[in-house]
Amino acid sequence: MRNSLPERRAKLGWSQQRLADELGVSRQTVISIEKGRFDPSLPVAFRLAAVFGCTIEDLFSPE
Amino acid sequence: MTEPTASAPKSSIGRARFGGGTAALVIVSLAIGLGISSGLGALYAWLGETGEEWLRFAIVAFVTLPVSIMLPWALLVDRSSLKGAIDRPEDSVEARWYSKAAEGTMHDVLITVGIGAALFSFTQLQVNTGILLIVFGTLVMADFGVRYLLAKRADA
């Protein structure tokens, strides 16, 4: 699944560790999501949307 | 579970979930661990061959002590007081690596046990059960470790 996490995170000036802390997951989880190798659970997807102030559809799109 | 205040410092040992601090957690874990190890040592000395009971008690108690102490610590520690512990481990990618490795290992165990049972039945082979279980357990742990690393490499 494609996502716009790296761009949105860069806009906020956050590191991967900072985003991981906000989500309550490991930094490796953020790395894997950004690379599109790990589809987050629905709760994490909702938290991501809340963190970036957008909808899940804005963040993720099918390949 | 005791929720620490925002200013409460986190540490690598953490605090007890029953309300005590680090010292209480360490003391309780040590006490329970010593009890478990002593019990295992006594059981081994009692069930084993006669002679050198104290030596066998001491060896078993000594080698089981680290795990016996860590087990109650893992059950009693308040995770939110641990430095580096994430809030939602079940949502992290490491949980998926674990699940994938466990699933693959279970299939390997089923296949191995099936083939092994057939071989032992056909050949009437007799082996030491204790050694067989130790070898099998070691192989299962190695299998899980390799599968975990492969899952990690695939996702990282």
Side-chain angles (χ1 to χ4, degrees):
Chain A
M1 199 177 299
R2 280 181 305 204
N3 66 79
S4 58
L5 253 64
E7 297 80 15
R8 291 175 184 272
R9 184 172 57 76
K11 273 185 187 173
L12 291 176
W14 285 7
S15 65
Q16 290 172 327
Q17 185 62 60
R18 168 75 192 277
L19 179 57
D21 292 340
E22 292 287 335
L23 298 172
V25 298
S26 65
R27 177 172 167 265
Q28 185 60 57
T29 302
V30 172
I31 293 171
S32 296
I33 294 173
E34 288 189 349
K35 286 182 176 177
R37 292 178 180 168
F38 176 56
D39 295 334
S41 66
L42 208 48
V44 171
F46 273 113
R47 285 201 295 277
L48 277 167
V51 162
F52 292 121
C54 60
T55 64
I56 293 176
E57 289 84 352
D58 293 333
L59 283 174
F60 297 97
S61 58
E63 296 273 11
Chain B
M1 183 187 294
T2 305
E3 290 297 330
T5 59
S7 60
K10 295 188 173 188
S11 70
S12 54
I13 297 177
R15 292 184 300 279
R17 62 168 55 188
F18 51 80
T22 301
L25 177 63
V26 170
I27 290 169
V28 171
S29 298
L30 282 173
I32 295 174
L34 283 170
I36 293 172
S37 288
S38 299
L40 290 172
L43 191 66
Y44 186 75
W46 179 55
L47 291 176
E49 299 167 5
T50 54
E52 297 185 326
E53 283 87 356
W54 282 107
L55 180 62
R56 286 189 284 122
F57 166 83
I59 290 173
V60 171
F62 180 74
V63 298
T64 58
L65 193 57
V67 175
S68 299
I69 292 172
M70 292 308 292
L71 181 66
W73 173 83
L75 293 173
L76 297 173
V77 69
D78 177 0
R79 286 194 78 256
S80 64
S81 67
L82 280 176
K83 189 191 295 181
I86 56 177
D87 295 336
R88 299 176 178 87
E90 69 279 4
D91 285 334
S92 290
V93 70
E94 289 85 354
R96 182 166 83 161
W97 300 341
Y98 182 92
S99 296
K100 286 173 75 174
E103 182 183 323
T105 303
M106 191 204 72
H107 292 144
D108 293 341
V109 166
L110 285 175
I111 293 168
T112 307
V113 168
I115 293 173
L119 280 176
F120 278 89
S121 297
F122 292 156
T123 61
Q124 302 291 313
L125 187 64
Q126 300 291 318
V127 294
N128 184 304
T129 311
I131 292 175
L132 177 68
L133 288 174
I134 289 171
V135 171
F136 186 64
T138 304
L139 288 175
V140 168
M141 284 189 279
D143 184 28
F144 179 86
V146 169
R147 284 186 173 278
Y148 186 90
L149 289 175
L150 289 175
K152 180 179 180 180
R153 179 174 289 184
D155 282 345

